[in-house]
Amino acid sequence: MRRSVVRPMPPHSLFILALVSALLSAQVPALAQLVPIKTVPVAAGDQFLLFPSSNLAMGGVSLALPDTLGDPFANPATGSRLEEDIFFGSPTLYRISNGNGSGRSLPIGTLFRSGDWFGGGAVSLQEIEGARRNPWVFTRFAWDPGPPQILSEGSARNLYAFGFLGHRFPDLGLSIGVSGFWADLGAVDGVDLLYAMSQRIQQSGHSSDLRVGILKEWEGDRSLELLLLRTKLRMKHDVTYMDLVWEPIAPDTIPQPRWKDRVEENLDYTDTWGAHMVYRRPLNRGGWVIGWSLTGNWKDHPKIPNYEIQNIPRDPGNTWAYGLGIGLSKSEGPSRFAVDLVLEPIRSETWADAASDTTTMKGDIIPAGEKTVENDFRFTNALVRAGGAVDYQWATFRAGLQIRSISYDLDQFNRVEAVQRDQSESWMEWTPSLGASLNLPGATVHYTARFTTGTGRPGTNTRWTDDRALAVAAAADFILAPSGPLTLQDARVTTHQLAVVVPIR
């Protein structure tokens, strides 16, 4: 039997790094159906904030206050609440401070209702700019700052397509809808930071999201929303590194240092199955409405890339995530107020498989394919969303706040070195929002501004400072086992969306 010894990884590197990109139908209300996962306070941009929403500027409240404009993109059955056919465009811009990336998108689409049938579709063109960094390059004489490196060729193009169709059964008070979302991805925001020491990275792939929704409505404004979903991510990263090698310029000459390209191909696959339920009913007095929600996700990570210097394949992992929520809303005259409280218990396991028979520090053999490192995450996350709106003549003014509290315990066991380690981390992310709507003749204009703080570009407090220690990814989920206490370089995410909604008469 062939034996091999896996060298201990440097203290500043990770034992497990798993990227799970759960791509939704790309707007804030849809986040209720998929429970996001983070183990580091990553400043991720609003790449998938594409479609218009009435409640976006109110902190994204959704449990007790329906969003007639935004809900069909999350649950296709809610399209039956449409009162008229509309055409919309919702250009969106976001920027992460300190040169950590930006994005611009232009979605256009339509929502319609014809008798008991309803549906709609949208397409979007997007440009993503990667993070701007100034890496240090080793020369034959000293460590010198090199020229700014441009990853993903400076910018990349993404294309998105969304469509849904549904039917209402008025005698039953029942609506059923199906939707599909497709993204042709030239880049996912933040993946350039996954390979912080690379010379360049070329991304390619796609994401898909299929949903089946049911809406049941009773007399007295009671309603029940059910949703089943299936999302898939398939990405490839072609990463180029510059290696310093010693090679003779000519035969029989002294070897000289030279920089040589090395290209690695990494695959990133994630599959998610989910179910979501929301029940709303009015209370007995004063325009109050209460809502409850229950969410369940199972995420399978069949292929995780090898990031940076980690030469042991990062293989499967899985996650069970849940959300339990309650919401209240109050509507009286021209004003509305709503608040959501959501508790998110999550259990996630990731591991590394031995590429070949591996000898442990005790002399035992771990057969090829068996686990060498195991990570067990236990999360107790909480989410608070609150917002209000007031109508004044031909305008509506909105404001809100979203607070996400993330707390987890990590148990890590390295079978090669027979070492067990525990770590606990927690932080809070704050997202205030402001917005206004203008009811103009023939059109309605919605403007929303969001600002997210409490996140940034994280690292670990280790002996050496190395940006590779905690690689960064985008979208919703970040599952990686830090090698030490977390540090944070602050970064703010600023997002602006201007949605123009034109009734089709």
Side-chain angles (χ1 to χ4, degrees), residues 134-149 197 259:
N134 292 303
W136 286 78
V137 179
F138 180 72
T139 70
R140 61 182 297 182
F141 300 107
W143 286 90
D144 292 330
Q149 296 195 16
M197 301 302 292
W259 291 103

Side-chain angles (χ1 to χ4, degrees), residues 204-235:
S204 61
H206 65 271
S207 172
S208 63
D209 182 300
L210 298 176
R211 300 183 178 217
V212 177
I214 298 175
L215 171 63
K216 172 63 177 177
E217 296 176 305
W218 294 274
E219 294 183 358
D221 293 329
R222 292 179 298 137
S223 66
L224 175 66
E225 298 176 15
L226 301 174
L227 179 71
L228 298 176
L229 63 87
R230 172 79 159 90
T231 70
K232 296 180 67 175
L233 175 71
R234 295 294 182 266
M235 291 293 294

Side-chain angles (χ1 to χ4, degrees), residues 372-376 411-416 418-421:
T372 57
V373 181
E374 300 177 63
N375 295 311
D376 185 5
D411 293 329
Q412 185 181 82
F413 180 59
N414 187 327
R415 298 181 61 194
V416 177
V419 174
Q420 186 169 359
R421 183 176 68 89

Side-chain angles (χ1 to χ4, degrees), residues 230-259:
R230 172 79 159 90
T231 70
K232 296 180 67 175
L233 175 71
R234 295 294 182 266
M235 291 293 294
K236 183 177 75 167
H237 308 154
D238 293 320
V239 188
T240 301
Y241 294 94
M242 295 290 290
D243 293 333
L244 184 64
V245 298
W246 291 79
E247 294 181 345
I249 300 177
D252 301 327
T253 61
I254 298 176
Q256 298 291 325
R258 297 178 57 190
W259 291 103

Side-chain angles (χ1 to χ4, degrees), residues 46 56 95 400-402 429-435 447-455 491-496:
D46 283 326
L56 178 61
R95 186 175 300 276
L401 177 65
Q402 176 178 288
E429 300 175 5
W430 298 74
T431 306
S433 55
L434 295 169
Y447 170 74
T448 300
R450 288 163 32 103
F451 313 92
T452 300
T453 62
T455 61
R492 298 180 307 277
V493 181
T494 303
T495 303
H496 303 275

